[in-house]
PDB file of all heavy atoms in Angstrom:
ATOM      1  N   THR M   6       0.814  -1.207   0.000  1.00  0.00           N
ATOM      2  CA  THR M   6       0.000   0.000   0.000  1.00  0.00           C
ATOM      3  C   THR M   6       0.851   1.262   0.000  1.00  0.00           C
ATOM      4  O   THR M   6       2.006   1.251   0.434  1.00  0.00           O
ATOM      5  CB  THR M   6      -0.935   0.032   1.211  1.00  0.00           C
ATOM      6  OG1 THR M   6      -0.147  -0.041   2.411  1.00  0.00           O
ATOM      7  CG2 THR M   6      -1.909  -1.134   1.193  1.00  0.00           C
ATOM      8  N   ASN M   7       0.245   2.320  -0.482  1.00  0.00           N
ATOM      9  CA  ASN M   7       0.900   3.615  -0.517  1.00  0.00           C
ATOM     10  C   ASN M   7      -0.173   4.666  -0.299  1.00  0.00           C
ATOM     11  O   ASN M   7      -1.273   4.554  -0.861  1.00  0.00           O
ATOM     12  CB  ASN M   7       1.591   3.827  -1.863  1.00  0.00           C
ATOM     13  CG  ASN M   7       2.446   5.072  -1.884  1.00  0.00           C
ATOM     14  OD1 ASN M   7       3.028   5.441  -0.870  1.00  0.00           O
ATOM     15  ND2 ASN M   7       2.539   5.704  -3.031  1.00  0.00           N
ATOM     16  N   TYR M   8       0.158   5.684   0.525  1.00  0.00           N
ATOM     17  CA  TYR M   8      -0.829   6.698   0.870  1.00  0.00           C
ATOM     18  C   TYR M   8      -0.279   8.102   0.628  1.00  0.00           C
ATOM     19  O   TYR M   8       0.914   8.356   0.802  1.00  0.00           O
ATOM     20  CB  TYR M   8      -1.226   6.591   2.341  1.00  0.00           C
ATOM     21  CG  TYR M   8      -1.898   5.304   2.701  1.00  0.00           C
ATOM     22  CD1 TYR M   8      -1.164   4.211   3.159  1.00  0.00           C
ATOM     23  CD2 TYR M   8      -3.281   5.171   2.591  1.00  0.00           C
ATOM     24  CE1 TYR M   8      -1.780   3.017   3.488  1.00  0.00           C
ATOM     25  CE2 TYR M   8      -3.910   3.980   2.922  1.00  0.00           C
ATOM     26  CZ  TYR M   8      -3.154   2.908   3.368  1.00  0.00           C
ATOM     27  OH  TYR M   8      -3.776   1.732   3.685  1.00  0.00           O
ATOM     28  N   ALA M   9      -1.168   9.000   0.287  1.00  0.00           N
ATOM     29  CA  ALA M   9      -0.811  10.404   0.249  1.00  0.00           C
ATOM     30  C   ALA M   9      -0.547  10.872   1.676  1.00  0.00           C
ATOM     31  O   ALA M   9      -1.196  10.397   2.626  1.00  0.00           O
ATOM     32  CB  ALA M   9      -1.933  11.220  -0.374  1.00  0.00           C
ATOM     33  N   ASP M  10       0.381  11.787   1.831  1.00  0.00           N
ATOM     34  CA  ASP M  10       0.698  12.287   3.168  1.00  0.00           C
ATOM     35  C   ASP M  10      -0.528  12.871   3.860  1.00  0.00           C
ATOM     36  O   ASP M  10      -0.665  12.785   5.074  1.00  0.00           O
ATOM     37  CB  ASP M  10       1.794  13.351   3.081  1.00  0.00           C
ATOM     38  CG  ASP M  10       3.149  12.761   2.750  1.00  0.00           C
ATOM     39  OD1 ASP M  10       3.332  11.534   2.900  1.00  0.00           O
ATOM     40  OD2 ASP M  10       4.040  13.528   2.330  1.00  0.00           O
ATOM     41  N   SER M  11      -1.416  13.448   3.073  1.00  0.00           N
ATOM     42  CA  SER M  11      -2.580  14.128   3.638  1.00  0.00           C
ATOM     43  C   SER M  11      -3.560  13.171   4.308  1.00  0.00           C
ATOM     44  O   SER M  11      -4.380  13.610   5.128  1.00  0.00           O
ATOM     45  CB  SER M  11      -3.301  14.922   2.547  1.00  0.00           C
ATOM     46  OG  SER M  11      -3.705  14.063   1.500  1.00  0.00           O
ATOM     47  N   VAL M  12      -3.500  11.894   3.963  1.00  0.00           N
ATOM     48  CA  VAL M  12      -4.448  10.929   4.548  1.00  0.00           C
ATOM     49  C   VAL M  12      -3.746   9.834   5.347  1.00  0.00           C
ATOM     50  O   VAL M  12      -4.410   9.001   5.966  1.00  0.00           O
ATOM     51  CB  VAL M  12      -5.332  10.275   3.463  1.00  0.00           C
ATOM     52  CG1 VAL M  12      -6.088  11.344   2.684  1.00  0.00           C
ATOM     53  CG2 VAL M  12      -4.518   9.375   2.548  1.00  0.00           C
ATOM     54  N   LYS M  13      -2.420   9.843   5.330  1.00  0.00           N
ATOM     55  CA  LYS M  13      -1.674   8.800   6.030  1.00  0.00           C
ATOM     56  C   LYS M  13      -2.027   8.797   7.505  1.00  0.00           C
ATOM     57  O   LYS M  13      -2.082   9.843   8.149  1.00  0.00           O
ATOM     58  CB  LYS M  13      -0.174   9.036   5.824  1.00  0.00           C
ATOM     59  CG  LYS M  13       0.700   7.828   6.066  1.00  0.00           C
ATOM     60  CD  LYS M  13       2.126   8.109   5.630  1.00  0.00           C
ATOM     61  CE  LYS M  13       2.273   8.299   4.151  1.00  0.00           C
ATOM     62  NZ  LYS M  13       3.670   8.510   3.715  1.00  0.00           N
ATOM     63  N   GLY M  14      -2.277   7.619   8.036  1.00  0.00           N
ATOM     64  CA  GLY M  14      -2.651   7.483   9.438  1.00  0.00           C
ATOM     65  C   GLY M  14      -4.146   7.630   9.677  1.00  0.00           C
ATOM     66  O   GLY M  14      -4.634   7.320  10.766  1.00  0.00           O
ATOM     67  N   ARG M  15      -4.871   8.116   8.676  1.00  0.00           N
ATOM     68  CA  ARG M  15      -6.322   8.288   8.810  1.00  0.00           C
ATOM     69  C   ARG M  15      -7.096   7.399   7.855  1.00  0.00           C
ATOM     70  O   ARG M  15      -8.335   7.337   7.938  1.00  0.00           O
ATOM     71  CB  ARG M  15      -6.719   9.749   8.536  1.00  0.00           C
ATOM     72  CG  ARG M  15      -6.071  10.774   9.415  1.00  0.00           C
ATOM     73  CD  ARG M  15      -6.688  12.153   9.212  1.00  0.00           C
ATOM     74  NE  ARG M  15      -6.436  12.690   7.887  1.00  0.00           N
ATOM     75  CZ  ARG M  15      -7.398  13.013   7.015  1.00  0.00           C
ATOM     76  NH1 ARG M  15      -8.673  12.824   7.321  1.00  0.00           N
ATOM     77  NH2 ARG M  15      -7.091  13.533   5.827  1.00  0.00           N
ATOM     78  N   SER M  16      -6.387   6.759   6.940  1.00  0.00           N
ATOM     79  CA  SER M  16      -7.064   5.986   5.906  1.00  0.00           C
ATOM     80  C   SER M  16      -6.416   4.624   5.738  1.00  0.00           C
ATOM     81  O   SER M  16      -5.206   4.479   5.950  1.00  0.00           O
ATOM     82  CB  SER M  16      -7.013   6.733   4.559  1.00  0.00           C
ATOM     83  OG  SER M  16      -7.671   7.972   4.640  1.00  0.00           O
ATOM     84  N   THR M  17      -7.226   3.663   5.338  1.00  0.00           N
ATOM     85  CA  THR M  17      -6.738   2.314   5.058  1.00  0.00           C
ATOM     86  C   THR M  17      -7.367   1.829   3.774  1.00  0.00           C
ATOM     87  O   THR M  17      -8.596   1.810   3.644  1.00  0.00           O
ATOM     88  CB  THR M  17      -7.086   1.351   6.194  1.00  0.00           C
ATOM     89  OG1 THR M  17      -6.524   1.823   7.414  1.00  0.00           O
ATOM     90  CG2 THR M  17      -6.545  -0.037   5.892  1.00  0.00           C
ATOM     91  N   ILE M  18      -6.520   1.438   2.834  1.00  0.00           N
ATOM     92  CA  ILE M  18      -7.005   0.840   1.601  1.00  0.00           C
ATOM     93  C   ILE M  18      -6.851  -0.672   1.725  1.00  0.00           C
ATOM     94  O   ILE M  18      -5.855  -1.166   2.275  1.00  0.00           O
ATOM     95  CB  ILE M  18      -6.248   1.383   0.366  1.00  0.00           C
ATOM     96  CG1 ILE M  18      -6.887   0.887  -0.929  1.00  0.00           C
ATOM     97  CG2 ILE M  18      -4.762   1.046   0.426  1.00  0.00           C
ATOM     98  CD1 ILE M  18      -6.344   1.561  -2.181  1.00  0.00           C
ATOM     99  N   SER M  19      -7.823  -1.388   1.237  1.00  0.00           N
ATOM    100  CA  SER M  19      -7.772  -2.852   1.287  1.00  0.00           C
ATOM    101  C   SER M  19      -8.492  -3.400   0.065  1.00  0.00           C
ATOM    102  O   SER M  19      -9.221  -2.680  -0.621  1.00  0.00           O
ATOM    103  CB  SER M  19      -8.415  -3.376   2.571  1.00  0.00           C
ATOM    104  OG  SER M  19      -9.772  -2.997   2.653  1.00  0.00           O
ATOM    105  N   ARG M  20      -8.271  -4.672  -0.184  1.00  0.00           N
ATOM    106  CA  ARG M  20      -8.922  -5.301  -1.321  1.00  0.00           C
ATOM    107  C   ARG M  20      -9.384  -6.697  -0.950  1.00  0.00           C
ATOM    108  O   ARG M  20      -8.771  -7.363  -0.119  1.00  0.00           O
ATOM    109  CB  ARG M  20      -7.982  -5.339  -2.529  1.00  0.00           C
ATOM    110  CG  ARG M  20      -6.735  -6.180  -2.347  1.00  0.00           C
ATOM    111  CD  ARG M  20      -5.725  -5.961  -3.479  1.00  0.00           C
ATOM    112  NE  ARG M  20      -6.277  -6.315  -4.785  1.00  0.00           N
ATOM    113  CZ  ARG M  20      -5.790  -5.890  -5.944  1.00  0.00           C
ATOM    114  NH1 ARG M  20      -4.743  -5.062  -5.963  1.00  0.00           N
ATOM    115  NH2 ARG M  20      -6.334  -6.266  -7.083  1.00  0.00           N
ATOM    116  N   ASP M  21     -10.457  -7.113  -1.608  1.00  0.00           N
ATOM    117  CA  ASP M  21     -10.976  -8.472  -1.460  1.00  0.00           C
ATOM    118  C   ASP M  21     -11.028  -9.049  -2.867  1.00  0.00           C
ATOM    119  O   ASP M  21     -11.965  -8.755  -3.629  1.00  0.00           O
ATOM    120  CB  ASP M  21     -12.353  -8.432  -0.805  1.00  0.00           C
ATOM    121  CG  ASP M  21     -12.899  -9.818  -0.506  1.00  0.00           C
ATOM    122  OD1 ASP M  21     -12.459 -10.786  -1.157  1.00  0.00           O
ATOM    123  OD2 ASP M  21     -13.772  -9.932   0.366  1.00  0.00           O
ATOM    124  N   ASN M  22     -10.058  -9.835  -3.209  1.00  0.00           N
ATOM    125  CA  ASN M  22      -9.981 -10.376  -4.567  1.00  0.00           C
ATOM    126  C   ASN M  22     -11.123 -11.347  -4.874  1.00  0.00           C
ATOM    127  O   ASN M  22     -11.512 -11.505  -6.023  1.00  0.00           O
ATOM    128  CB  ASN M  22      -8.637 -11.062  -4.792  1.00  0.00           C
ATOM    129  CG  ASN M  22      -7.488 -10.080  -4.863  1.00  0.00           C
ATOM    130  OD1 ASN M  22      -7.677  -8.886  -5.112  1.00  0.00           O
ATOM    131  ND2 ASN M  22      -6.281 -10.566  -4.619  1.00  0.00           N
ATOM    132  N   ALA M  23     -11.657 -11.971  -3.842  1.00  0.00           N
ATOM    133  CA  ALA M  23     -12.780 -12.885  -4.046  1.00  0.00           C
ATOM    134  C   ALA M  23     -14.046 -12.127  -4.458  1.00  0.00           C
ATOM    135  O   ALA M  23     -14.917 -12.678  -5.144  1.00  0.00           O
ATOM    136  CB  ALA M  23     -13.034 -13.689  -2.791  1.00  0.00           C
ATOM    137  N   LYS M  24     -14.120 -10.867  -4.037  1.00  0.00           N
ATOM    138  CA  LYS M  24     -15.296 -10.049  -4.349  1.00  0.00           C
ATOM    139  C   LYS M  24     -15.008  -9.004  -5.418  1.00  0.00           C
ATOM    140  O   LYS M  24     -15.888  -8.192  -5.743  1.00  0.00           O
ATOM    141  CB  LYS M  24     -15.804  -9.353  -3.082  1.00  0.00           C
ATOM    142  CG  LYS M  24     -16.320 -10.300  -2.025  1.00  0.00           C
ATOM    143  CD  LYS M  24     -16.854  -9.537  -0.817  1.00  0.00           C
ATOM    144  CE  LYS M  24     -17.419 -10.501   0.227  1.00  0.00           C
ATOM    145  NZ  LYS M  24     -17.944  -9.765   1.411  1.00  0.00           N
ATOM    146  N   ASN M  25     -13.778  -9.001  -5.940  1.00  0.00           N
ATOM    147  CA  ASN M  25     -13.388  -7.999  -6.939  1.00  0.00           C
ATOM    148  C   ASN M  25     -13.690  -6.579  -6.458  1.00  0.00           C
ATOM    149  O   ASN M  25     -14.193  -5.734  -7.214  1.00  0.00           O
ATOM    150  CB  ASN M  25     -14.112  -8.235  -8.277  1.00  0.00           C
ATOM    151  CG  ASN M  25     -13.559  -9.426  -9.025  1.00  0.00           C
ATOM    152  OD1 ASN M  25     -12.678 -10.131  -8.544  1.00  0.00           O
ATOM    153  ND2 ASN M  25     -14.103  -9.687 -10.204  1.00  0.00           N
ATOM    154  N   THR M  26     -13.365  -6.329  -5.210  1.00  0.00           N
ATOM    155  CA  THR M  26     -13.718  -5.059  -4.589  1.00  0.00           C
ATOM    156  C   THR M  26     -12.523  -4.474  -3.845  1.00  0.00           C
ATOM    157  O   THR M  26     -11.779  -5.209  -3.182  1.00  0.00           O
ATOM    158  CB  THR M  26     -14.901  -5.230  -3.633  1.00  0.00           C
ATOM    159  OG1 THR M  26     -16.029  -5.735  -4.376  1.00  0.00           O
ATOM    160  CG2 THR M  26     -15.295  -3.912  -2.989  1.00  0.00           C
ATOM    161  N   VAL M  27     -12.385  -3.158  -3.962  1.00  0.00           N
ATOM    162  CA  VAL M  27     -11.377  -2.432  -3.203  1.00  0.00           C
ATOM    163  C   VAL M  27     -12.099  -1.438  -2.296  1.00  0.00           C
ATOM    164  O   VAL M  27     -13.147  -0.898  -2.670  1.00  0.00           O
ATOM    165  CB  VAL M  27     -10.371  -1.733  -4.135  1.00  0.00           C
ATOM    166  CG1 VAL M  27     -11.043  -0.693  -5.019  1.00  0.00           C
ATOM    167  CG2 VAL M  27      -9.230  -1.107  -3.343  1.00  0.00           C
ATOM    168  N   TYR M  28     -11.541  -1.238  -1.119  1.00  0.00           N
ATOM    169  CA  TYR M  28     -12.164  -0.391  -0.110  1.00  0.00           C
ATOM    170  C   TYR M  28     -11.217   0.738   0.297  1.00  0.00           C
ATOM    171  O   TYR M  28      -9.997   0.611   0.226  1.00  0.00           O
ATOM    172  CB  TYR M  28     -12.520  -1.197   1.130  1.00  0.00           C
ATOM    173  CG  TYR M  28     -13.384  -2.395   0.870  1.00  0.00           C
ATOM    174  CD1 TYR M  28     -12.816  -3.660   0.722  1.00  0.00           C
ATOM    175  CD2 TYR M  28     -14.759  -2.274   0.769  1.00  0.00           C
ATOM    176  CE1 TYR M  28     -13.610  -4.774   0.482  1.00  0.00           C
ATOM    177  CE2 TYR M  28     -15.562  -3.383   0.529  1.00  0.00           C
ATOM    178  CZ  TYR M  28     -14.979  -4.638   0.387  1.00  0.00           C
ATOM    179  OH  TYR M  28     -15.769  -5.730   0.139  1.00  0.00           O
ATOM    180  N   LEU M  29     -11.821   1.818   0.768  1.00  0.00           N
ATOM    181  CA  LEU M  29     -11.053   2.881   1.387  1.00  0.00           C
ATOM    182  C   LEU M  29     -11.781   3.272   2.677  1.00  0.00           C
ATOM    183  O   LEU M  29     -12.886   3.821   2.614  1.00  0.00           O
ATOM    184  CB  LEU M  29     -10.916   4.098   0.477  1.00  0.00           C
ATOM    185  CG  LEU M  29     -10.084   5.243   1.055  1.00  0.00           C
ATOM    186  CD1 LEU M  29      -8.614   4.825   1.166  1.00  0.00           C
ATOM    187  CD2 LEU M  29     -10.204   6.503   0.195  1.00  0.00           C
ATOM    188  N   GLN M  30     -11.181   2.932   3.793  1.00  0.00           N
ATOM    189  CA  GLN M  30     -11.723   3.309   5.089  1.00  0.00           C
ATOM    190  C   GLN M  30     -11.073   4.621   5.495  1.00  0.00           C
ATOM    191  O   GLN M  30      -9.846   4.714   5.564  1.00  0.00           O
ATOM    192  CB  GLN M  30     -11.429   2.231   6.127  1.00  0.00           C
ATOM    193  CG  GLN M  30     -11.903   2.561   7.525  1.00  0.00           C
ATOM    194  CD  GLN M  30     -13.406   2.507   7.654  1.00  0.00           C
ATOM    195  OE1 GLN M  30     -14.051   1.567   7.200  1.00  0.00           O
ATOM    196  NE2 GLN M  30     -13.993   3.531   8.276  1.00  0.00           N
ATOM    197  N   MET M  31     -11.887   5.615   5.755  1.00  0.00           N
ATOM    198  CA  MET M  31     -11.378   6.925   6.115  1.00  0.00           C
ATOM    199  C   MET M  31     -11.938   7.326   7.466  1.00  0.00           C
ATOM    200  O   MET M  31     -13.131   7.154   7.733  1.00  0.00           O
ATOM    201  CB  MET M  31     -11.766   7.967   5.065  1.00  0.00           C
ATOM    202  CG  MET M  31     -11.307   7.627   3.657  1.00  0.00           C
ATOM    203  SD  MET M  31     -11.798   8.870   2.459  1.00  0.00           S
ATOM    204  CE  MET M  31     -10.779  10.226   2.979  1.00  0.00           C
ATOM    205  N   SER M  32     -11.093   7.874   8.316  1.00  0.00           N
ATOM    206  CA  SER M  32     -11.524   8.317   9.631  1.00  0.00           C
ATOM    207  C   SER M  32     -10.942   9.702   9.910  1.00  0.00           C
ATOM    208  O   SER M  32     -10.119  10.204   9.155  1.00  0.00           O
ATOM    209  CB  SER M  32     -11.087   7.317  10.698  1.00  0.00           C
ATOM    210  OG  SER M  32      -9.684   7.188  10.716  1.00  0.00           O
ATOM    211  N   SER M  33     -11.393  10.280  11.004  1.00  0.00           N
ATOM    212  CA  SER M  33     -10.960  11.639  11.379  1.00  0.00           C
ATOM    213  C   SER M  33     -11.066  12.584  10.187  1.00  0.00           C
ATOM    214  O   SER M  33     -10.140  13.342   9.886  1.00  0.00           O
ATOM    215  CB  SER M  33      -9.526  11.617  11.915  1.00  0.00           C
ATOM    216  OG  SER M  33      -9.420  10.768  13.034  1.00  0.00           O
ATOM    217  N   LEU M  34     -12.192  12.511   9.534  1.00  0.00           N
ATOM    218  CA  LEU M  34     -12.363  13.274   8.300  1.00  0.00           C
ATOM    219  C   LEU M  34     -12.368  14.772   8.568  1.00  0.00           C
ATOM    220  O   LEU M  34     -12.861  15.247   9.612  1.00  0.00           O
ATOM    221  CB  LEU M  34     -13.650  12.850   7.601  1.00  0.00           C
ATOM    222  CG  LEU M  34     -13.551  11.508   6.871  1.00  0.00           C
ATOM    223  CD1 LEU M  34     -14.920  10.931   6.582  1.00  0.00           C
ATOM    224  CD2 LEU M  34     -12.749  11.655   5.590  1.00  0.00           C
ATOM    225  N   LYS M  35     -11.807  15.507   7.606  1.00  0.00           N
ATOM    226  CA  LYS M  35     -11.694  16.957   7.700  1.00  0.00           C
ATOM    227  C   LYS M  35     -12.439  17.607   6.534  1.00  0.00           C
ATOM    228  O   LYS M  35     -12.624  16.966   5.488  1.00  0.00           O
ATOM    229  CB  LYS M  35     -10.218  17.350   7.623  1.00  0.00           C
ATOM    230  CG  LYS M  35      -9.328  16.651   8.618  1.00  0.00           C
ATOM    231  CD  LYS M  35      -7.871  16.983   8.365  1.00  0.00           C
ATOM    232  CE  LYS M  35      -6.945  16.240   9.313  1.00  0.00           C
ATOM    233  NZ  LYS M  35      -5.514  16.560   9.060  1.00  0.00           N
TER     234      LYS M  35
END
């Protein structure tokens, strides 16, 4: 994974290859 500095520590990208889906969990939104 790789993150922009602006979201690092507040966001998590993940993928589920079985579901052909990618996710972006974002917290502490501004």
Side-chain angles (χ1 to χ4, degrees):
T6 58
N7 188 33
Y8 297 92
D10 288 343
S11 59
V12 303
K13 200 171 293 183
R15 302 189 294 120
S16 298
T17 302
I18 187 170
S19 61
R20 64 191 300 160
D21 185 337
N22 290 340
K24 295 182 178 180
N25 286 3
T26 301
V27 62
Y28 305 96
L29 182 68
Q30 177 71 47
M31 303 179 68
S32 60
S33 301
L34 284 162
K35 306 174 183 180

